[in-house]
Amino acid sequence: MPGLTAPSDYAEEPPRHPDLKINSKEPFNAEPHRSALVASYITPVDFFYKRNHGPIPKVEDLSRYTVSISGLVNKSIQLSMGDIWALPKYNVTATLQCAGNRRTAMSNVRKVRGVGWDISALGTATWGGAKLSDVLELVGIPKLSSVTSLGGKHVEFVSVDKCKEEKGGPYTASIPLKQATDPDADVLLAYEMNGEVLNRDHGYPLRVVVPGVIGARSVKWLDSINIKEEECQGFFMQKDYKMFPPTVDWDNINWSTRRPQMDFPVQSAICTLEDVDVIKEGKARIAGYALSGGGRGIERVDISSDGGKTWVEARRYQKDNVAYVSDGPQSDKWAWVLFEATLDIPANAEILAKAVDSAANVQPEKVEDIWNLRGILNTSWHRIKIQNSSSVGRSKM
Ligand code: MTE
């Protein structure tokens, strides 16, 4: 029996928390309810969104599991879990965000193709594992390499799951060698999540975590690593997760004209209210998350309760008793920033949130301007409509 196998049906899926909101059952795609999402800085594993493209792989015998490294290297190797555990272990707190987060709101403007997600297709975990830069040294690739002696420029990750989009083949993705061999990029081969052994849904026994980049590149159930001259040609790199302008639709798309999305742009959302909600007029606590890609910090989160006429700056925080400073040495650069503000909510208010990152990037105002046929990267201002606030007695405070 090989170490890691992929079932072809959904008969052996792992147990999941009953409070998750299921967006698709087979493959299993689910997110927590928005109010649960910002209850803690570190997302409990049970409430971490689950994004799959096929049945969940299984390990029959961990002692037989290996990950191979081959391609444009002088000598291919096979690493066991023992070999991976023997490397220095790093804990990196990083947010994974699916590129389809907030897709449902984009599809309300114009139909898009893809699983519908509310605002919770993201979560923050402390990932434990070996640095990919250390692993690649085992095949003779030095740190901070852009190209191997044999011309390799990309690191491809191959899984074992059977994905419909790949006609039953496995999920694949790649990142540039430069990023993979940079110890400061913190790319991990992770075997732990929040101090526990990674569970099946999140990639047991070993997954890639690429901080600051859309979740699609963090390949779960890692089977092999290939060093290649070109980036990965798989479906999820070349025919998906690319950002097209609003003028491109399914009848005029040319996938090769755009590059695969890597970093995610600045994003924020309010989690204490539904998009259309009812609260009493008066003071209310508004809280949510903000994050940006590429390790950029969050410089500011602005909240408006009058549809954008006036704004207040929300308090930003990560860990208790540690002041959050955008790009400061004490702040987790790969993780989201939570925010809160107490605002006076007038009758029939429109509450807005927008974040600014440390490179002064701001979220776009309107979803219409960034509509794209796959419904990815909806980072438009988050808008909440408060209805009948004076006539209904339900408070969210
Ligand atoms: N890896 C494999 N093998 N198969 C997948 O379907 N989904 C990707 C990525 N890695 C996927 C995968 C996508 S699109 C996302 S957003 C993240 O895993 C989700 O990771 P999570 O389920 O641990 O939250």
Side-chain angles (χ1 to χ4, degrees):
M1 257 302 192
L4 179 62
T5 54
S8 40
D9 64 25
Y10 293 90
E12 295 172 274
E13 293 286 284
R16 278 113 183 189
H17 199 284
D19 287 350
L20 287 175
K21 198 160 114 357
I22 299 175
N23 297 328
S24 111
K25 237 180 165 166
E26 297 178 349
F28 189 76
N29 287 299
E31 63 188 306
H33 287 274
R34 38 172 89 177
S35 53
L37 189 64
V38 291
S40 57
Y41 172 57
I42 300 293
T43 313
V45 174
D46 279 355
F47 288 108
F48 203 96
Y49 79 103
K50 293 155 203 340
R51 174 66 177 118
N52 300 304
H53 290 83
I56 306 300
K58 286 193 323 179
V59 173
E60 301 290 350
D61 178 359
L62 192 62
S63 68
R64 304 189 70 153
Y65 169 78
T66 56
V67 53
S68 64
I69 309 182
S70 55
L72 297 173
V73 290
N74 288 318
K75 191 173 175 286
S76 303
I77 58 168
Q78 304 249 358
L79 297 174
S80 66
M81 275 315 291
D83 297 327
I84 304 276
W85 290 326
L87 291 167
K89 182 185 168 194
Y90 292 86
N91 287 309
V92 175
T93 298
T95 301
L96 276 194
Q97 179 180 215
C98 183
N101 190 30
R102 303 185 57 205
R103 178 179 283 134
T104 300
M106 189 173 275
S107 65
N108 290 342
V109 169
R110 190 159 33 121
K111 198 171 172 306
V112 300
R113 257 185 230 170
V115 175
W117 294 95
D118 188 44
I119 65 170
S120 304
L122 80 172
T124 299
T126 300
W127 306 94
K131 281 203 185 178
L132 182 59
S133 56
D134 289 341
V135 173
L136 293 177
E137 271 189 338
L138 301 177
V139 286
I141 306 177
K143 301 237 159 74
L144 300 171
S145 300
S146 307
V147 53
T148 67
S149 55
L150 298 176
K153 290 188 194 139
H154 297 268
V155 180
E156 179 184 64
F157 310 113
V158 183
S159 183
V160 294
D161 47 348
K162 299 188 167 95
C163 307
K164 197 170 69 239
E165 294 86 342
E166 287 283 15
K167 302 188 172 60
Y171 191 96
T172 57
S174 68
I175 60 170
L177 186 74
K178 199 166 180 244
Q179 184 178 12
T181 56
D182 180 355
D184 290 340
D186 287 333
V187 181
L188 292 185
L189 299 191
Y191 43 81
E192 274 182 20
M193 187 175 178
N194 297 347
E196 290 165 20
V197 174
L198 206 60
N199 75 13
R200 276 182 65 205
D201 260 329
H202 296 290
Y204 178 78
L206 195 64
R207 79 171 299 167
V208 184
V209 173
V210 190
V213 161
I214 61 165
R217 312 305 174 216
S218 289
V219 174
K220 305 193 270 189
W221 316 290
L222 187 62
D223 184 57
S224 56
I225 297 176
N226 298 321
I227 310 302
K228 298 183 124 181
E229 190 181 342
E230 303 230 300
E231 67 189 10
C232 163
Q233 293 300 304
F235 179 92
F236 300 101
M237 283 288 281
Q238 302 302 337
K239 298 270 169 75
D240 202 352
Y241 302 119
K242 287 187 174 183
M243 180 71 160
F244 284 89
T247 47
V248 172
D249 218 328
W250 295 100
D251 52 359
N252 63 353
I253 188 165
N254 179 355
W255 286 100
S256 66
T257 56
R258 300 282 153 185
R259 47 189 287 283
Q261 188 65 39
M262 299 305 275
D263 278 21
F264 49 76
V266 61
Q267 169 77 291
S268 71
I270 295 166
C271 296
T272 42
L273 295 166
E274 297 301 316
D275 282 349
V276 177
D277 213 327
V278 178
I279 53 171
K280 267 203 245 167
E281 263 177 84
K283 292 214 178 301
R285 178 177 172 268
I286 308 294
Y289 63 78
L291 73 164
S292 192
R296 289 177 291 279
I298 293 297
E299 195 59 32
R300 221 172 70 217
V301 180
D302 299 328
I303 310 289
S304 173
S305 61
D306 55 12
K309 288 193 203 87
T310 59
W311 297 87
V312 296
E313 191 179 336
R315 182 179 86 85
R316 292 160 294 139
Y317 60 100
Q318 284 185 328
K319 292 159 274 186
D320 290 342
N321 308 319
V322 182
Y324 173 76
V325 179
S326 170
D327 295 351
Q330 302 265 54
S331 305
D332 289 328
K333 65 185 285 200
W334 306 116
W336 66 12
V337 177
L338 303 182
F339 68 82
E340 61 174 2
T342 301
L343 265 76
D344 267 322
I345 310 295
N348 300 317
E350 189 185 21
I351 303 181
L352 309 177
K354 66 173 163 72
V356 181
D357 74 12
S358 57
N361 297 305
V362 191
Q363 292 176 247
E365 181 175 345
K366 294 197 191 104
V367 61
E368 290 83 346
D369 296 341
I370 50 167
W371 183 93
N372 61 88
L373 74 175
R374 278 291 282 111
I376 64 163
L377 304 178
N378 179 8
T379 55
S380 58
W381 295 1
H382 192 205
R383 292 167 189 274
I384 306 276
K385 277 201 163 40
I386 303 296
Q387 285 188 341
N388 306 322
S389 43
S390 51
S391 57
V392 181
R394 192 160 68 88
S395 168
K396 287 280 171 77
M397 280 204 66

